[in-house]
Amino acid sequence: MRIKELRLSGFKSFVEPVRAPIEEGLTGIVGPNGCGKSNLLEGVRWVMGVNSPKAMRGGEMDDVIFAGTNSRPSREHAEVTLVLDNAEGKAPAPYTHDETLEISRRIRRGLGSTYRINNREVRAKDVQLLFADASTGANSPALVRQGQISELISAKPENRRRILEEAAGIGGLQARRHEADLKLRAAEANLTRLDEVLGEIEALAASLKKQARQAERYRTVAGELRRVEALLFHRRLDEARTHVAAADAQRREAARAVAQAAEKASVAQGVAMEAQAKVAPAREEEMIAAAVLRRLEGVRVGLERDLKEAEDAIARLGTEAERLGAERARDERFASDARDALTRLERERGALAAMADAPAALKTAEEKFTAAEKIRVAAEARLEAAAAALAAGKAETQALVRAAGEARQRLARAEERLAALKRERAGAALPADHAARGVALADALTAARAKAEAADAARAQAETAAASAEKEERALFDPMRKAEARAGEIAAEVRALEKLTAQAAAQKFPPALNAIKARPGYERAAAAALGDDVNAALDPKAPLRWAGAGATAKISWPEGAEPLSQFVDAPKELAARLMLCAVVEQTRGAALMAQLKPGMRLVSREGDLWRWDGFVREAGAAPLGAAARLEQINRLEQAQADRKSAEAAMLEAQRLYEQARGSRERAEAALKVARSAAPAAQAAMLEARGALERHEAEAERMRARLAALESQEGALQAERAEAETALKAGEAAAAAAHDPQAAEAALAGARGDAE
């Protein structure tokens, strides 16, 4: 093969279509740099199947399309065609006998490349193999580009080997060998995978066999289990009946026990009432004891207060004793001073006595001293008596004043406590509407109890209704689903049959079969009688048609044969054919065939045919297509009728189910309302009961408090009387006491005399 011509259009710088003829001998292209000489070689390589954009000096393969200039718009496609001369027939099959090969590659922007050989689209691989068989190609060293000489000089052994293989003409064989190796490896991988799949299938088959055995065993065990369950349920039914009888007997016994318990309860209630009557005096005694205890507690508090006051008085008396001790010490100092004076006077007397000339003066002084001593002693005695009287009067006066003050304080405290007790008693009195409130609370409790019982009864009734509605819904669900499935199956069958009928009617010349109607069971007989002629049309324009025939004389059929026209409705064009056909039993057809006259035919319902001229066609050889078509027509009518009844049954089942579901939803809503109302009613009853109990407890507490306050009031009245008596006695004693001012004046006079 030899390259004859190169055509470029929209390829790189060749925006307009260009033809480059390559004549025999040496063809050269001369031009300045940048005129596109290298683009011609790249066009040859590109059409030979280059797949690398770098080999085309671009970033992507769309870069080979003319990109446009300032004055020329870009192109959307590029095409390169290489014309080869195959006059010697060296091209590989199937191009061996083609004198010229036109190999083209066309690329559209963003859509990729397409290859054609002689205007027939091929794969890129086919083009590459074609050039490989010709010992050339896009990467062949025969196409020398810039820098390839130096690459060939420094080429590796593998690249030199490729050059030698291309020179020897076995490049295509090597490519095919490589492809065959890839296919063999892929086939080996597929075989390995097939072995794995077979292993999986065998394992799955073994598992399915095991599951089948298990299913068979399950069916056996399930059957036995159902039988045993039936026996068990029967036994449980008997036991339940026995339990019902026993429960009935227990119920009667329980009724008798309830009656006896009611009698005992009435007796116990009487005993409780008697005990409650006995409890009232004991409770009164308890309240009296509590009042006495509180009174004693008040006395104890008063005694403790008196003890504290006595301790305070002892402290004051101790202070007074210290004061008196100080006065006594002062008196003792006075006495000491008097003794010192006396001693001094004694010394002076001694001195005077020593004097010879003073005896008379001494005697006179002694007499004066004795008289003065007597006066001093008497004055000191009066001083001591006056001081003692003053101290005793002060102590007595202070004691009386203190006792009167204490009595006055006790009286004030008693009156204050008595006033507070009266106020507390007035506040602790039962309100005027206490009894009315108790009656109202009791009535509210009775009403709440009635509402709670009604709510419980409504909830139980709603639960029963909801359970019944749910059971009814479940019972109607399966029939509805079965009716829907049945209607869906029949509708699908009708659609399929209508589609088949529509396909037959859509023909240009519908066959006469479309107009034939056979009675159910006689479809094969009609198909056997009409044969392949039933596919002929009734249209006068059809090339194969039924044109009709004249009337035929009345035909006499052998005994046991019935005219086929009685069982088949057909157009008038087929009337003559049907008049010559009769239906017989399959076992009698061969015997009656000898009695047939020219043109007459016998058929069986199974599809057998016996003709007057001795032709016989058994049921297995009859044209089943026409019979199936007639059966489809009959089945379509029957299916349409069945669809109406199935749809009616489905609608009725759906209506019943929707009605049951609505009842169930209403019952569930009522149950929800009843369940929400029951706790509220119970809570209201408990609240009413609690309010009544709190009311009764409050009344009992207030009555006990009033009794305690009355007892405390009596104790405080007695304590106030005692305080008033003590106050009067203290005031009288204080009034009768001596005058402290006179005692102090006497004490001062006695002290002056003593000094």
Side-chain angles (χ1 to χ4, degrees):
M1 294 188 297
R2 185 178 62 84
I3 299 177
K4 293 175 58 178
E5 187 179 9
L6 178 64
R7 303 172 188 165
L8 301 95
S9 176
F11 184 81
K12 287 196 171 186
S13 59
F14 299 98
V15 59
E16 299 294 341
V18 175
R19 296 176 64 255
I22 301 175
E23 304 295 342
E24 294 184 1
L26 182 61
T27 300
I29 299 175
V30 180
N33 292 335
C35 67
K37 300 186 297 297
S38 298
N39 293 342
L40 294 174
L41 179 60
E42 290 177 358
V44 174
R45 297 183 62 206
W46 186 69
V47 77
M48 288 184 176
V50 169
N51 292 324
S52 175
K54 294 181 180 180
M56 296 288 103
R57 295 183 298 172
E60 56 183 10
M61 193 55 74
D62 288 348
D63 292 342
V64 302
I65 304 175
F66 178 70
T69 61
N70 294 331
S71 59
R72 299 292 298 272
S74 61
R75 300 287 296 272
E76 291 298 321
H77 65 275
E79 184 176 4
V80 177
T81 303
L82 194 63
V83 181
L84 302 180
D85 183 10
N86 189 31
E88 299 178 356
K90 293 183 178 181
Y95 311 108
T96 306
H97 303 290
D98 294 339
E99 295 183 358
T100 302
L101 298 180
E102 289 189 2
I103 302 169
S104 64
R105 180 178 181 180
R106 184 181 180 87
I107 184 172
R108 289 185 176 275
R109 195 179 299 278
L111 298 178
S113 302
T114 57
Y115 293 85
R116 291 180 177 275
I117 299 179
N118 289 346
N119 292 326
R120 187 175 65 179
E121 188 171 345
V122 295
R123 302 174 301 171
K125 194 171 187 179
D126 296 334
V127 175
Q128 292 171 358
L129 288 176
L130 175 64
F131 286 106
D133 290 337
S135 299
T136 184
N139 298 320
S140 173
L143 300 177
V144 181
R145 62 184 182 277
Q146 293 180 358
Q148 189 173 2
I149 302 300
S150 59
E151 292 179 4
L152 293 176
I153 295 173
S154 60
K156 296 181 180 180
E158 293 81 359
N159 296 334
R160 294 178 181 177
R161 177 183 177 183
R162 182 167 56 82
I163 295 171
L164 295 175
E165 289 176 352
E166 289 185 0
I170 60 175
L173 297 178
Q174 291 294 340
R176 285 184 171 82
R177 177 185 176 185
H178 177 67
E179 183 180 2
D181 290 339
L182 293 178
K183 291 182 178 179
L184 286 175
R185 283 195 291 271
E188 290 176 355
N190 291 335
L191 289 175
T192 304
R193 178 58 183 160
L194 183 60
D195 292 337
E196 295 176 357
V197 172
L198 287 175
E200 293 176 359
I201 292 174
E202 291 176 355
L204 181 60
S207 176
L208 292 175
K209 289 180 180 179
K210 183 178 179 181
Q211 292 177 8
R213 291 193 298 269
Q214 291 177 351
E216 184 65 27
R217 183 181 178 186
Y218 171 78
R219 284 195 294 270
T220 304
V221 173
E224 184 66 20
L225 182 62
R226 285 193 295 272
R227 186 181 67 80
V228 173
E229 285 180 349
L231 294 175
L232 178 61
F233 290 153
H234 181 69
R235 183 175 179 181
R236 288 181 179 176
L237 179 61
D238 294 339
E239 292 178 355
R241 290 173 179 172
T242 305
H243 291 331
V244 167
D248 194 10
Q250 292 178 359
R251 181 183 59 78
R252 291 192 294 270
E253 185 65 26
R256 288 193 297 270
V258 168
Q260 296 175 1
E263 295 177 359
K264 293 180 180 179
S266 62
V267 174
Q269 188 174 5
V271 174
M273 293 177 65
E274 294 176 359
Q276 188 174 6
K278 293 179 180 179
V279 166
R283 184 174 296 170
E284 185 176 359
E285 293 177 0
E286 180 185 1
M287 289 189 294
I288 294 172
V292 172
L293 178 61
R294 285 190 292 272
R295 181 175 179 278
L296 294 177
E297 184 69 21
V299 173
R300 182 183 66 80
V301 173
L303 292 175
E304 289 179 352
R305 186 170 59 253
D306 294 342
L307 177 60
K308 184 177 180 182
E309 292 175 354
E311 291 176 351
D312 294 340
I314 291 172
R316 289 193 301 272
L317 291 175
T319 304
E320 187 67 21
E322 291 178 357
R323 186 181 62 78
L324 293 175
E327 292 179 356
R328 182 178 179 182
R330 182 170 56 80
D331 292 340
E332 288 179 354
R333 285 194 304 273
F334 289 158
S336 178
D337 292 341
R339 284 190 295 271
D340 291 341
L342 184 60
T343 303
R344 180 176 54 77
L345 291 175
E346 285 291 337
R347 285 193 306 268
E348 291 178 356
R349 188 181 67 173
L352 292 175
M355 297 172 59
D357 56 351
L362 176 61
K363 183 177 178 181
T364 301
E366 287 179 352
E367 291 176 355
K368 291 181 178 180
F369 174 75
T370 303
E373 183 67 22
K374 290 179 179 179
I375 294 171
R376 182 191 61 81
V377 171
E380 289 181 353
R382 288 194 304 270
L383 177 61
E384 290 178 358
L390 180 60
K394 286 185 177 180
E396 184 180 0
T397 301
Q398 289 178 356
L400 292 174
V401 172
R402 186 169 55 253
E406 291 175 355
R408 189 177 292 105
Q409 291 178 358
R410 287 171 59 192
L411 179 60
R413 286 196 299 270
E415 290 179 351
E416 183 180 357
R417 291 173 61 190
L418 186 60
L421 187 63
K422 288 181 179 180
R423 290 193 300 270
E424 186 177 359
R425 182 180 177 184
L430 292 174
D433 61 343
H434 177 76
R437 286 182 57 197
V439 174
L441 290 174
D443 294 341
L445 176 60
T446 303
R449 185 180 291 110
K451 289 183 179 180
E453 293 176 355
D456 291 338
R459 181 182 60 184
Q461 184 177 1
E463 288 177 351
T464 303
S468 177
E470 185 177 2
K471 182 178 180 181
E472 183 179 0
E473 182 185 7
R474 288 197 301 268
L476 293 175
F477 181 76
D478 290 339
M480 183 192 70
R481 285 289 177 263
K482 291 180 180 178
E484 290 177 350
R486 175 63 179 168
E489 293 175 357
I490 295 177
E493 184 179 4
V494 168
R495 287 194 298 271
L497 294 174
E498 289 178 347
K499 185 176 181 180
L500 293 174
T501 304
Q503 290 176 353
Q507 298 180 10
K508 182 178 180 180
F509 298 107
L513 181 62
N514 294 348
I516 297 175
K517 178 69 171 63
R519 187 182 300 179
Y522 290 88
E523 297 88 350
R524 294 180 178 271
L530 298 174
D532 295 335
D533 299 339
V534 76
N535 293 320
L538 298 176
D539 193 340
K541 298 179 181 179
L544 183 65
R545 64 183 181 274
W546 286 86
T552 305
K554 186 176 181 180
I555 299 175
S556 176
W557 294 100
E559 184 179 359
E562 296 178 343
L564 182 61
S565 58
Q566 297 179 6
F567 308 103
V568 178
D569 296 333
K572 61 182 181 179
E573 288 83 357
L574 280 74
R577 179 67 169 268
L578 292 178
M579 290 179 61
L580 295 173
C581 299
V583 182
V584 297
E585 295 293 335
Q586 188 178 21
T587 56
R588 300 188 59 192
L592 296 177
M593 185 175 62
Q595 303 179 20
L596 296 178
K597 296 179 179 178
M600 299 173 63
R601 302 183 180 192
L602 295 176
V603 294
S604 66
R605 296 179 62 180
E606 290 77 9
D608 299 284
L609 172 66
W610 297 275
R611 216 161 59 184
W612 61 275
D613 54 359
F615 178 78
V616 177
R617 183 170 61 197
E618 295 182 354
L624 300 180
R629 180 74 182 94
L630 294 174
E631 291 176 354
Q632 290 173 0
I633 294 174
N634 292 334
R635 178 53 191 160
L636 177 59
E637 294 180 356
Q638 183 64 32
Q640 289 175 345
D642 294 343
R643 181 174 64 177
K644 293 181 180 179
S645 60
E647 289 177 351
M650 179 188 69
L651 294 176
E652 180 65 19
Q654 289 177 348
R655 186 187 65 80
L656 294 176
Y657 175 74
E658 292 297 332
Q659 184 177 357
R661 186 172 67 178
S663 301
R664 191 259 303 165
E665 292 177 352
R666 290 190 295 273
E668 288 180 351
L671 176 59
K672 185 177 181 180
V673 173
R675 284 179 175 174
S676 62
Q682 289 289 339
M685 183 187 69
L686 294 176
E687 180 65 24
R689 182 182 298 169
L692 181 59
E693 291 177 354
R694 289 192 298 272
H695 179 76
E696 294 176 352
E698 181 67 18
E700 186 65 25
R701 185 185 63 80
M702 294 179 70
R703 284 192 289 269
R705 181 61 179 165
L706 285 174
L709 292 176
E710 290 176 357
S711 177
Q712 291 180 10
E713 185 178 2
L716 288 175
Q717 291 286 356
E719 185 177 354
R720 185 179 67 175
E722 293 177 358
E724 289 177 350
T725 302
L727 178 61
K728 291 178 180 179
E731 290 178 348
H738 67 281
D739 188 5
Q741 295 180 356
E744 289 180 357
L747 178 61
R751 184 179 291 114
D753 294 341
E755 291 177 355

